[in-house]
PDB file of all heavy atoms in Angstrom:
ATOM      1  N   PRO F 508       2.173 -11.207  15.925  1.00 91.00           N
ATOM      2  CA  PRO F 508       1.838 -11.684  17.291  1.00 91.00           C
ATOM      3  C   PRO F 508       3.001 -12.322  18.020  1.00 91.00           C
ATOM      4  O   PRO F 508       2.960 -12.415  19.282  1.00 91.00           O
ATOM      5  CB  PRO F 508       0.770 -12.646  17.041  1.00 91.00           C
ATOM      6  CG  PRO F 508       0.343 -12.542  15.614  1.00 91.00           C
ATOM      7  CD  PRO F 508       1.429 -11.877  14.963  1.00 91.00           C
ATOM      8  N   GLN F 509       4.046 -12.707  17.269  1.00 93.00           N
ATOM      9  CA  GLN F 509       5.247 -13.265  17.955  1.00 93.00           C
ATOM     10  C   GLN F 509       6.064 -12.418  18.695  1.00 93.00           C
ATOM     11  O   GLN F 509       6.927 -12.792  19.453  1.00 93.00           O
ATOM     12  CB  GLN F 509       6.071 -14.044  16.875  1.00 93.00           C
ATOM     13  CG  GLN F 509       6.823 -13.150  15.882  1.00 93.00           C
ATOM     14  CD  GLN F 509       6.001 -12.920  14.636  1.00 93.00           C
ATOM     15  OE1 GLN F 509       4.817 -12.694  14.538  1.00 93.00           O
ATOM     16  NE2 GLN F 509       6.671 -12.789  13.486  1.00 93.00           N
ATOM     17  N   LEU F 510       5.826 -11.087  18.578  1.00 96.00           N
ATOM     18  CA  LEU F 510       6.696 -10.138  19.360  1.00 96.00           C
ATOM     19  C   LEU F 510       6.320 -10.136  20.808  1.00 96.00           C
ATOM     20  O   LEU F 510       5.187 -10.091  21.207  1.00 96.00           O
ATOM     21  CB  LEU F 510       6.509  -8.660  18.755  1.00 96.00           C
ATOM     22  CG  LEU F 510       6.894  -8.468  17.384  1.00 96.00           C
ATOM     23  CD1 LEU F 510       6.713  -7.059  16.941  1.00 96.00           C
ATOM     24  CD2 LEU F 510       8.473  -8.830  17.215  1.00 96.00           C
ATOM     25  N   LYS F 511       7.386 -10.239  21.591  1.00 95.00           N
ATOM     26  CA  LYS F 511       7.152 -10.370  23.094  1.00 95.00           C
ATOM     27  C   LYS F 511       7.614  -9.094  23.760  1.00 95.00           C
ATOM     28  O   LYS F 511       7.040  -8.764  24.897  1.00 95.00           O
ATOM     29  CB  LYS F 511       7.808 -11.571  23.647  1.00 95.00           C
ATOM     30  CG  LYS F 511       7.376 -12.733  23.061  1.00 95.00           C
ATOM     31  CD  LYS F 511       7.582 -14.027  23.821  1.00 95.00           C
ATOM     32  CE  LYS F 511       6.566 -15.114  23.265  1.00 95.00           C
ATOM     33  NZ  LYS F 511       6.379 -15.021  21.784  1.00 95.00           N
ATOM     34  N   ASN F 512       8.642  -8.455  23.340  1.00 96.00           N
ATOM     35  CA  ASN F 512       9.208  -7.294  24.057  1.00 96.00           C
ATOM     36  C   ASN F 512       9.057  -6.066  23.152  1.00 96.00           C
ATOM     37  O   ASN F 512       9.397  -6.084  21.940  1.00 96.00           O
ATOM     38  CB  ASN F 512      10.658  -7.449  24.298  1.00 96.00           C
ATOM     39  CG  ASN F 512      11.029  -8.785  24.960  1.00 96.00           C
ATOM     40  OD1 ASN F 512      10.255  -9.183  25.911  1.00 96.00           O
ATOM     41  ND2 ASN F 512      11.930  -9.591  24.383  1.00 96.00           N
ATOM     42  N   PHE F 513       8.598  -4.951  23.821  1.00 97.00           N
ATOM     43  CA  PHE F 513       8.608  -3.590  23.123  1.00 97.00           C
ATOM     44  C   PHE F 513       9.550  -2.727  24.013  1.00 97.00           C
ATOM     45  O   PHE F 513       9.158  -2.365  25.107  1.00 97.00           O
ATOM     46  CB  PHE F 513       7.250  -3.110  22.954  1.00 97.00           C
ATOM     47  CG  PHE F 513       6.370  -3.913  22.133  1.00 97.00           C
ATOM     48  CD1 PHE F 513       5.617  -4.971  22.608  1.00 97.00           C
ATOM     49  CD2 PHE F 513       6.384  -3.782  20.740  1.00 97.00           C
ATOM     50  CE1 PHE F 513       4.832  -5.808  21.862  1.00 97.00           C
ATOM     51  CE2 PHE F 513       5.610  -4.511  19.894  1.00 97.00           C
ATOM     52  CZ  PHE F 513       4.925  -5.542  20.421  1.00 97.00           C
ATOM     53  N   VAL F 514      10.698  -2.399  23.383  1.00 97.00           N
ATOM     54  CA  VAL F 514      11.652  -1.628  24.187  1.00 97.00           C
ATOM     55  C   VAL F 514      12.119  -0.574  23.403  1.00 97.00           C
ATOM     56  O   VAL F 514      12.083  -0.525  22.187  1.00 97.00           O
ATOM     57  CB  VAL F 514      12.907  -2.524  24.666  1.00 97.00           C
ATOM     58  CG1 VAL F 514      12.375  -3.660  25.543  1.00 97.00           C
ATOM     59  CG2 VAL F 514      13.578  -3.038  23.510  1.00 97.00           C
ATOM     60  N   THR F 515      12.820   0.448  24.099  1.00 97.00           N
ATOM     61  CA  THR F 515      13.477   1.405  23.388  1.00 97.00           C
ATOM     62  C   THR F 515      15.038   1.079  23.471  1.00 97.00           C
ATOM     63  O   THR F 515      15.446   0.292  24.283  1.00 97.00           O
ATOM     64  CB  THR F 515      13.487   2.823  23.974  1.00 97.00           C
ATOM     65  OG1 THR F 515      14.136   2.880  25.226  1.00 97.00           O
ATOM     66  CG2 THR F 515      11.977   3.152  24.225  1.00 97.00           C
ATOM     67  N   LEU F 516      15.841   1.710  22.597  1.00 97.00           N
ATOM     68  CA  LEU F 516      17.332   1.657  22.864  1.00 97.00           C
ATOM     69  C   LEU F 516      17.530   3.183  22.862  1.00 97.00           C
ATOM     70  O   LEU F 516      17.687   3.798  21.779  1.00 97.00           O
ATOM     71  CB  LEU F 516      18.053   0.925  21.793  1.00 97.00           C
ATOM     72  CG  LEU F 516      19.555   0.790  22.039  1.00 97.00           C
ATOM     73  CD1 LEU F 516      19.875   0.230  23.346  1.00 97.00           C
ATOM     74  CD2 LEU F 516      20.238  -0.034  20.943  1.00 97.00           C
ATOM     75  N   SER F 517      17.776   3.772  23.986  1.00 97.00           N
ATOM     76  CA  SER F 517      17.656   5.227  24.157  1.00 97.00           C
ATOM     77  C   SER F 517      18.986   5.861  24.524  1.00 97.00           C
ATOM     78  O   SER F 517      19.772   5.210  25.322  1.00 97.00           O
ATOM     79  CB  SER F 517      16.594   5.667  25.211  1.00 97.00           C
ATOM     80  OG  SER F 517      15.347   5.254  24.882  1.00 97.00           O
ATOM     81  N   PRO F 518      19.317   7.020  24.082  1.00 97.00           N
ATOM     82  CA  PRO F 518      20.500   7.660  24.568  1.00 97.00           C
ATOM     83  C   PRO F 518      20.300   8.289  25.926  1.00 97.00           C
ATOM     84  O   PRO F 518      19.142   8.280  26.428  1.00 97.00           O
ATOM     85  CB  PRO F 518      20.550   8.889  23.492  1.00 97.00           C
ATOM     86  CG  PRO F 518      19.191   9.077  23.124  1.00 97.00           C
ATOM     87  CD  PRO F 518      18.465   7.860  23.158  1.00 97.00           C
ATOM     88  N   VAL F 519      21.358   8.748  26.560  1.00 97.00           N
ATOM     89  CA  VAL F 519      21.325   9.240  27.947  1.00 97.00           C
ATOM     90  C   VAL F 519      21.917  10.652  27.911  1.00 97.00           C
ATOM     91  O   VAL F 519      22.969  10.916  28.555  1.00 97.00           O
ATOM     92  CB  VAL F 519      21.975   8.422  28.922  1.00 97.00           C
ATOM     93  CG1 VAL F 519      21.513   8.794  30.347  1.00 97.00           C
ATOM     94  CG2 VAL F 519      21.557   6.888  28.717  1.00 97.00           C
ATOM     95  N   PRO F 520      21.411  11.585  27.101  1.00 96.00           N
ATOM     96  CA  PRO F 520      22.035  12.901  27.029  1.00 96.00           C
ATOM     97  C   PRO F 520      22.009  13.577  28.473  1.00 96.00           C
ATOM     98  O   PRO F 520      21.166  13.420  29.222  1.00 96.00           O
ATOM     99  CB  PRO F 520      20.989  13.666  26.118  1.00 96.00           C
ATOM    100  CG  PRO F 520      19.648  13.017  26.253  1.00 96.00           C
ATOM    101  CD  PRO F 520      20.105  11.568  26.441  1.00 96.00           C
ATOM    102  N   GLY F 521      23.218  14.167  28.752  1.00 96.00           N
ATOM    103  CA  GLY F 521      23.260  14.881  29.961  1.00 96.00           C
ATOM    104  C   GLY F 521      24.082  14.118  31.033  1.00 96.00           C
ATOM    105  O   GLY F 521      24.585  14.638  32.060  1.00 96.00           O
ATOM    106  N   PHE F 522      24.219  12.803  30.856  1.00 97.00           N
ATOM    107  CA  PHE F 522      24.889  11.940  31.743  1.00 97.00           C
ATOM    108  C   PHE F 522      26.387  12.420  31.947  1.00 97.00           C
ATOM    109  O   PHE F 522      26.907  12.614  32.999  1.00 97.00           O
ATOM    110  CB  PHE F 522      24.795  10.534  31.401  1.00 97.00           C
ATOM    111  CG  PHE F 522      25.566   9.627  32.308  1.00 97.00           C
ATOM    112  CD1 PHE F 522      25.428   9.795  33.715  1.00 97.00           C
ATOM    113  CD2 PHE F 522      26.477   8.690  31.837  1.00 97.00           C
ATOM    114  CE1 PHE F 522      26.188   8.832  34.572  1.00 97.00           C
ATOM    115  CE2 PHE F 522      27.182   7.869  32.712  1.00 97.00           C
ATOM    116  CZ  PHE F 522      27.012   7.898  34.034  1.00 97.00           C
ATOM    117  N   ALA F 523      27.011  12.619  30.802  1.00 97.00           N
ATOM    118  CA  ALA F 523      28.392  13.028  30.879  1.00 97.00           C
ATOM    119  C   ALA F 523      28.655  14.418  31.599  1.00 97.00           C
ATOM    120  O   ALA F 523      29.445  14.607  32.404  1.00 97.00           O
ATOM    121  CB  ALA F 523      29.104  13.081  29.471  1.00 97.00           C
ATOM    122  N   ASP F 524      27.758  15.315  31.227  1.00 97.00           N
ATOM    123  CA  ASP F 524      27.765  16.630  31.873  1.00 97.00           C
ATOM    124  C   ASP F 524      27.549  16.529  33.355  1.00 97.00           C
ATOM    125  O   ASP F 524      28.239  17.207  34.155  1.00 97.00           O
ATOM    126  CB  ASP F 524      26.733  17.601  31.192  1.00 97.00           C
ATOM    127  CG  ASP F 524      27.026  18.039  29.858  1.00 97.00           C
ATOM    128  OD1 ASP F 524      28.281  17.794  29.511  1.00 97.00           O
ATOM    129  OD2 ASP F 524      26.230  18.620  29.189  1.00 97.00           O
ATOM    130  N   TRP F 525      26.589  15.778  33.752  1.00 96.00           N
ATOM    131  CA  TRP F 525      26.227  15.692  35.194  1.00 96.00           C
ATOM    132  C   TRP F 525      27.411  15.057  35.909  1.00 96.00           C
ATOM    133  O   TRP F 525      27.873  15.494  37.069  1.00 96.00           O
ATOM    134  CB  TRP F 525      25.048  14.697  35.314  1.00 96.00           C
ATOM    135  CG  TRP F 525      24.727  14.394  36.712  1.00 96.00           C
ATOM    136  CD1 TRP F 525      24.007  15.123  37.605  1.00 96.00           C
ATOM    137  CD2 TRP F 525      25.058  13.105  37.388  1.00 96.00           C
ATOM    138  NE1 TRP F 525      23.885  14.346  38.781  1.00 96.00           N
ATOM    139  CE2 TRP F 525      24.548  13.187  38.743  1.00 96.00           C
ATOM    140  CE3 TRP F 525      25.770  11.976  36.955  1.00 96.00           C
ATOM    141  CZ2 TRP F 525      24.762  12.115  39.576  1.00 96.00           C
ATOM    142  CZ3 TRP F 525      25.996  10.963  37.837  1.00 96.00           C
ATOM    143  CH2 TRP F 525      25.447  11.050  39.150  1.00 96.00           C
ATOM    144  N   LEU F 526      28.081  14.031  35.303  1.00 96.00           N
ATOM    145  CA  LEU F 526      29.127  13.407  36.003  1.00 96.00           C
ATOM    146  C   LEU F 526      30.315  14.408  36.173  1.00 96.00           C
ATOM    147  O   LEU F 526      31.057  14.420  37.158  1.00 96.00           O
ATOM    148  CB  LEU F 526      29.618  12.112  35.177  1.00 96.00           C
ATOM    149  CG  LEU F 526      30.394  11.029  35.966  1.00 96.00           C
ATOM    150  CD1 LEU F 526      29.722  10.676  37.262  1.00 96.00           C
ATOM    151  CD2 LEU F 526      30.591   9.871  35.022  1.00 96.00           C
ATOM    152  N   ALA F 527      30.475  15.140  35.052  1.00 95.00           N
ATOM    153  CA  ALA F 527      31.649  16.175  35.087  1.00 95.00           C
ATOM    154  C   ALA F 527      31.349  17.114  36.237  1.00 95.00           C
ATOM    155  O   ALA F 527      32.319  17.512  36.960  1.00 95.00           O
ATOM    156  CB  ALA F 527      31.687  16.841  33.749  1.00 95.00           C
ATOM    157  N   GLU F 528      30.124  17.582  36.370  1.00 95.00           N
ATOM    158  CA  GLU F 528      29.736  18.424  37.390  1.00 95.00           C
ATOM    159  C   GLU F 528      30.097  17.851  38.803  1.00 95.00           C
ATOM    160  O   GLU F 528      30.608  18.482  39.707  1.00 95.00           O
ATOM    161  CB  GLU F 528      28.357  18.750  37.414  1.00 95.00           C
ATOM    162  CG  GLU F 528      27.942  20.056  36.505  1.00 95.00           C
ATOM    163  CD  GLU F 528      26.418  20.160  36.465  1.00 95.00           C
ATOM    164  OE1 GLU F 528      25.830  20.102  37.521  1.00 95.00           O
ATOM    165  OE2 GLU F 528      25.893  20.221  35.326  1.00 95.00           O
ATOM    166  N   GLN F 529      29.728  16.588  39.040  1.00 94.00           N
ATOM    167  CA  GLN F 529      29.868  15.979  40.204  1.00 94.00           C
ATOM    168  C   GLN F 529      31.369  15.978  40.471  1.00 94.00           C
ATOM    169  O   GLN F 529      31.759  16.075  41.768  1.00 94.00           O
ATOM    170  CB  GLN F 529      29.350  14.538  40.252  1.00 94.00           C
ATOM    171  CG  GLN F 529      27.880  14.352  39.888  1.00 94.00           C
ATOM    172  CD  GLN F 529      26.955  15.197  40.736  1.00 94.00           C
ATOM    173  OE1 GLN F 529      27.129  15.209  41.929  1.00 94.00           O
ATOM    174  NE2 GLN F 529      26.149  15.910  40.057  1.00 94.00           N
ATOM    175  N   ARG F 530      32.182  15.670  39.510  1.00 93.00           N
ATOM    176  CA  ARG F 530      33.626  15.627  39.761  1.00 93.00           C
ATOM    177  C   ARG F 530      34.189  17.011  40.048  1.00 93.00           C
ATOM    178  O   ARG F 530      35.036  17.191  40.945  1.00 93.00           O
ATOM    179  CB  ARG F 530      34.352  14.979  38.470  1.00 93.00           C
ATOM    180  CG  ARG F 530      33.977  13.545  38.277  1.00 93.00           C
ATOM    181  CD  ARG F 530      34.415  13.041  36.986  1.00 93.00           C
ATOM    182  NE  ARG F 530      35.916  12.987  36.946  1.00 93.00           N
ATOM    183  CZ  ARG F 530      36.578  12.904  35.780  1.00 93.00           C
ATOM    184  NH1 ARG F 530      35.903  12.902  34.641  1.00 93.00           N
ATOM    185  NH2 ARG F 530      37.861  12.901  35.792  1.00 93.00           N
ATOM    186  N   THR F 531      33.732  17.951  39.321  1.00 92.00           N
ATOM    187  CA  THR F 531      34.137  19.336  39.529  1.00 92.00           C
ATOM    188  C   THR F 531      33.870  19.822  40.954  1.00 92.00           C
ATOM    189  O   THR F 531      34.683  20.389  41.585  1.00 92.00           O
ATOM    190  CB  THR F 531      33.489  20.297  38.570  1.00 92.00           C
ATOM    191  OG1 THR F 531      33.710  19.814  37.213  1.00 92.00           O
ATOM    192  CG2 THR F 531      34.036  21.728  38.637  1.00 92.00           C
ATOM    193  N   SER F 532      32.627  19.432  41.383  1.00 90.00           N
ATOM    194  CA  SER F 532      32.251  19.903  42.698  1.00 90.00           C
ATOM    195  C   SER F 532      32.650  18.994  43.763  1.00 90.00           C
ATOM    196  O   SER F 532      32.478  19.105  45.007  1.00 90.00           O
ATOM    197  CB  SER F 532      30.762  19.999  42.785  1.00 90.00           C
ATOM    198  OG  SER F 532      30.220  18.683  42.622  1.00 90.00           O
ATOM    199  N   GLN F 533      33.531  17.981  43.314  1.00 87.00           N
ATOM    200  CA  GLN F 533      34.165  17.038  44.258  1.00 87.00           C
ATOM    201  C   GLN F 533      33.116  16.408  45.170  1.00 87.00           C
ATOM    202  O   GLN F 533      33.353  15.878  46.218  1.00 87.00           O
ATOM    203  CB  GLN F 533      35.136  17.707  45.061  1.00 87.00           C
ATOM    204  CG  GLN F 533      36.273  18.403  44.302  1.00 87.00           C
ATOM    205  CD  GLN F 533      37.372  18.779  45.094  1.00 87.00           C
ATOM    206  OE1 GLN F 533      37.303  19.372  46.167  1.00 87.00           O
ATOM    207  NE2 GLN F 533      38.650  18.426  44.499  1.00 87.00           N
ATOM    208  N   SER F 534      31.908  16.204  44.674  1.00 89.00           N
ATOM    209  CA  SER F 534      30.970  15.448  45.428  1.00 89.00           C
ATOM    210  C   SER F 534      31.002  13.970  45.186  1.00 89.00           C
ATOM    211  O   SER F 534      30.382  13.196  45.817  1.00 89.00           O
ATOM    212  CB  SER F 534      29.575  15.985  45.139  1.00 89.00           C
ATOM    213  OG  SER F 534      29.301  15.929  43.810  1.00 89.00           O
ATOM    214  N   VAL F 535      31.747  13.579  44.141  1.00 92.00           N
ATOM    215  CA  VAL F 535      32.034  12.197  43.853  1.00 92.00           C
ATOM    216  C   VAL F 535      33.437  11.840  43.737  1.00 92.00           C
ATOM    217  O   VAL F 535      34.232  12.696  43.405  1.00 92.00           O
ATOM    218  CB  VAL F 535      31.236  11.769  42.511  1.00 92.00           C
ATOM    219  CG1 VAL F 535      32.044  12.373  41.245  1.00 92.00           C
ATOM    220  CG2 VAL F 535      31.082  10.281  42.368  1.00 92.00           C
ATOM    221  N   THR F 536      33.766  10.662  44.225  1.00 92.00           N
ATOM    222  CA  THR F 536      35.156  10.171  44.170  1.00 92.00           C
ATOM    223  C   THR F 536      35.245   8.949  43.303  1.00 92.00           C
ATOM    224  O   THR F 536      34.561   7.882  43.484  1.00 92.00           O
ATOM    225  CB  THR F 536      35.727   9.828  45.481  1.00 92.00           C
ATOM    226  OG1 THR F 536      35.290  10.828  46.426  1.00 92.00           O
ATOM    227  CG2 THR F 536      37.239   9.647  45.521  1.00 92.00           C
ATOM    228  N   LEU F 537      36.035   8.996  42.113  1.00 93.00           N
ATOM    229  CA  LEU F 537      36.055   7.948  41.218  1.00 93.00           C
ATOM    230  C   LEU F 537      37.419   7.241  41.318  1.00 93.00           C
ATOM    231  O   LEU F 537      38.431   7.867  41.528  1.00 93.00           O
ATOM    232  CB  LEU F 537      35.719   8.465  39.792  1.00 93.00           C
ATOM    233  CG  LEU F 537      34.478   9.189  39.664  1.00 93.00           C
ATOM    234  CD1 LEU F 537      34.318   9.673  38.252  1.00 93.00           C
ATOM    235  CD2 LEU F 537      33.304   8.392  40.135  1.00 93.00           C
TER     236      LEU F 537
END
Side-chain angles (χ1 to χ4, degrees):
Chain F
Q509 67 268 37
L510 293 180
K511 296 203 165 33
N512 312 309
F513 295 91
V514 300
T515 72
L516 184 57
S517 300
V519 193
F522 176 50
D524 286 350
W525 171 83
L526 201 51
E528 273 174 46
Q529 305 305 313
R530 291 171 66 197
T531 306
S532 66
Q533 302 195 316
S534 54
V535 72
T536 314
L537 306 182

